[in-house]
Amino acid sequence: MCNHLSIYSVNNFKNHKNNLITLIKQTPSTKHGHVSYTDWKEECLRVNKEFTKRPYVNYFVKNIFNDYAKHFCRYFKIKKIELVDIWFQIYKKGDYHLLHTHESAHFANVFYINLPHKKLKTKVYSLKEKELKFKCKEGDIVSFPAFYRHGSSINNYEEEKIIISFNTNIRT
């Protein structure tokens, strides 16, 4: 595993999975690019703007984010991170996400809620365009520098891939 990449396994994920899926599917969504369902909108990503209108965000912050943040800070030897942006994506059969980076963030993070096959994990590339090799599973949060190009391969499976993606910044 690359030391620029962190993987955190959410405690008691099986207890959270169905709650998160239910809350995500209750959230108004739209199609964006080649992703069937997402609440990603550039003008309303900031956590503080739309926080209370998206119950899955409240659930995530209350039940998952704090333990994740502690792990992240230990792993990267920093004092504090802040949650900047958060959104979900549901990949139906045929959906994918082109390679991209995240502006105005230090780290991009992918929380795998439903991962039908390991081939559907996010592909992450170093600055030298070398694909980073890592293993992950449902319930894992993968974190990497937001300026690393990353994307999602086409979902060739009937089952949906469901993720929560979020950006974080390091704070001193």
Side-chain angles (χ1 to χ4, degrees), residues 1 3 11 13 18 22 25 27 32 54 57 60 63 68 72 99-101 112 123 125 136 147 149 151 166 170:
M1 177 169 42
N3 62 358
N11 293 324
F13 174 69
N18 289 334
T22 298
K25 292 199 173 189
T27 303
H32 179 74
R54 300 183 294 159
V57 175
F60 173 78
N63 296 287
Y68 157 78
F72 183 95
L99 290 176
H100 62 285
T101 61
Y112 295 96
K123 294 191 180 300
Y125 295 88
C136 67
F147 56 83
R149 289 173 15 108
F166 60 99
I170 295 171

Side-chain angles (χ1 to χ4, degrees), residues 17-31:
K17 180 177 177 175
N18 289 334
N19 291 333
L20 285 165
I21 290 173
T22 298
L23 293 170
I24 285 169
K25 292 199 173 189
Q26 291 173 355
T27 303
S29 64
T30 186
K31 183 174 176 65

Side-chain angles (χ1 to χ4, degrees), residues 83-168:
L83 179 60
V84 182
D85 306 315
I86 186 167
W87 63 97
F88 74 83
Q89 293 178 317
I90 299 176
Y91 295 80
K92 298 261 187 203
K93 186 173 185 178
D95 287 359
Y96 61 94
H97 200 148
L98 296 172
L99 290 176
H100 62 285
T101 61
H102 293 188
E103 296 178 15
S104 302
H106 297 156
F107 282 84
N109 310 273
V110 180
F111 179 18
Y112 295 96
I113 309 298
N114 199 63
L115 188 63
H117 195 281
K118 64 183 177 182
K119 290 181 180 178
L120 292 178
K121 73 179 182 182
T122 303
K123 294 191 180 300
V124 181
Y125 295 88
S126 72
L127 290 176
K128 295 181 180 182
E129 293 298 319
K130 182 176 180 180
E131 184 177 351
L132 302 182
K133 301 294 182 190
F134 62 94
K135 293 180 182 179
C136 67
K137 63 187 181 317
E138 286 183 359
D140 285 351
I141 298 175
V142 177
S143 303
F144 50 89
F147 56 83
Y148 279 14
R149 289 173 15 108
H150 59 282
S152 183
S153 300
I154 191 164
N155 181 0
N156 289 316
Y157 302 92
E158 295 298 326
E159 193 175 350
E160 298 170 334
K161 171 184 169 182
I162 302 174
I163 65 158
I164 293 175
S165 189
F166 60 99
N167 292 332
T168 51

Side-chain angles (χ1 to χ4, degrees), residues 23-54:
L23 293 170
I24 285 169
K25 292 199 173 189
Q26 291 173 355
T27 303
S29 64
T30 186
K31 183 174 176 65
H32 179 74
H34 302 282
V35 179
S36 288
Y37 299 98
T38 182
D39 63 341
W40 186 93
K41 292 182 200 169
E42 191 167 358
E43 68 277 7
C44 72
L45 277 180
R46 298 291 175 206
V47 172
N48 294 335
K49 278 187 176 179
E50 295 291 318
F51 193 70
T52 57
K53 295 181 184 176
R54 300 183 294 159

